[in-house]
Each structure stands twice: as structure tokens, then as C-alpha cells.
Amino acid sequence: MNPVDYSHDTHIERTIRMATEAAERGDRPCGSLLVRDGAVLESATNRVYTDDDLALHPELSLARWADRELTADERAETLLYTTVEPCSMCATAIALTELGGVIFCVSGESYWELAAKSHPDVPDAYIPCAEVFERLGRDITVVGSVLESDGIEAIEPYLS
């Protein structure tokens, strides 16, 4: 399986809709899917604020689900689609779970730049998920900035 070889628009469009739903609920604008052979296995949205748990990023929730519910071979064939590039906490979990790939819409750098405009406490250094994977010795394919302008347009209103 090579995630670079096919279109990811349909799944990314779904994560954008999920991100909007999360933001309208009062959480950060991010939604994620686990997909294998084109079928959605599980989905999650950010619940940091509504569940008062700083670890409830959707990517971390899905990595934990995959670790519990899927075999190592199944995880290696599973792709994580997400609205915003996984942060280093989530990327570490993805690496340890050894998912097959990550496809994101809005780069972490773009997201942090947008967030910093209205939240001056946002750190100014961002570690790309590919760098986390590399440092941990994991060969996880990353496909980035899929429909990024659509993602930015959808989430930017919720970052002010």
C-alpha cells in the first residue's frame, strides 16, 4: 500500500466537516479517521475542552483505539486522515502504534501560525510529524496539505 498513489480528497473533506462540528461544540477544530482498504474503521474529533482532557486529540484517541483493536499487520495497512497535522504527542503515539500512513489537510506550521494570531501563548516552534517518525526510527508515509486551502477556510474562523 502506498498512500501517495491515490486521491485522499473524500476522506479529508470528511475530516474538515468533523473539525467544524468539533469547533461548533467548543473544541479545537480537528477531526480524524482511520481508514483501511478505503473503509472507515473509526473516527474521532477533538474533545480537549468538552471533556476537560488535554490528551483528547483525535489522532491520539485513534492511535490508542488501533493499538487495542487491530493486529500489527492491520495497523500497518491503516491510514490516519486528519484535519490538522498531528502534533508531536500524537505523532509519537502514531509511531509507537506503527500505522501505515498519515494524511493531513492543514500543516501544523500553518495551523500554529493561524492560532498564534489570536493566542499569543502558542509556542513558536513546531515539530513536523515526519520528523517525529524519523527520530523514532519509524517508516511512516506522510502526505500533507491535501485540500489545505479548504481546511484553512473552514477552521480559521474558530481560531480567533
Side-chain angles (χ1 to χ4, degrees):
M1 171 191 64
N2 186 348
V4 177
D5 292 341
Y6 53 90
S7 174
H8 303 289
D9 292 5
T10 300
H11 294 306
I12 287 296
E13 288 169 348
R14 182 169 171 191
T15 71
I16 293 170
R17 289 191 303 274
M18 293 169 65
T20 301
E21 292 167 10
E24 289 174 351
R25 184 181 61 237
D27 284 302
R28 294 178 184 157
C30 192
S32 302
L33 306 168
L34 284 179
V35 176
R36 190 173 69 245
D37 297 326
V40 175
L41 304 176
E42 191 66 30
S43 64
T45 59
N46 187 289
R47 293 200 163 275
V48 167
Y49 299 128
T50 55
D51 287 359
D52 194 27
D53 185 339
L54 64 88
L56 286 181
H57 295 199
E59 305 90 345
L60 180 58
S61 296
L62 291 178
R64 294 178 69 207
W65 180 88
D67 192 54
R68 285 190 314 271
E69 303 295 330
L70 303 177
T71 67
D73 288 342
E74 289 170 331
R75 289 191 307 269
E77 296 172 354
T78 299
L79 303 175
L80 182 127
Y81 286 85
T82 191
T83 316
V84 177
E85 180 179 4
C87 69
S88 53
M89 173 182 70
C90 294
T92 299
I94 293 164
L96 296 175
T97 307
E98 299 187 81
L99 294 176
V102 172
I103 298 89
F104 63 82
C105 177
V106 179
S107 72
E109 185 174 323
S110 294
Y111 180 83
W112 281 39
E113 286 175 12
L114 290 170
K117 289 179 184 177
S118 56
H119 303 284
D121 59 337
V122 171
D124 59 3
Y126 182 78
I127 303 170
C129 67
E131 184 177 334
V132 173
F133 301 154
E134 182 181 335
R135 287 183 181 192
L136 293 173
R138 298 295 199 258
D139 185 21
I140 298 174
T141 301
V142 176
V143 177
S145 302
V146 176
L147 301 176
E148 185 169 44
S149 61
D150 294 347
I152 288 172
E153 182 180 326
I155 68 173
E156 189 171 24
Y158 300 103
L159 297 176
S160 57

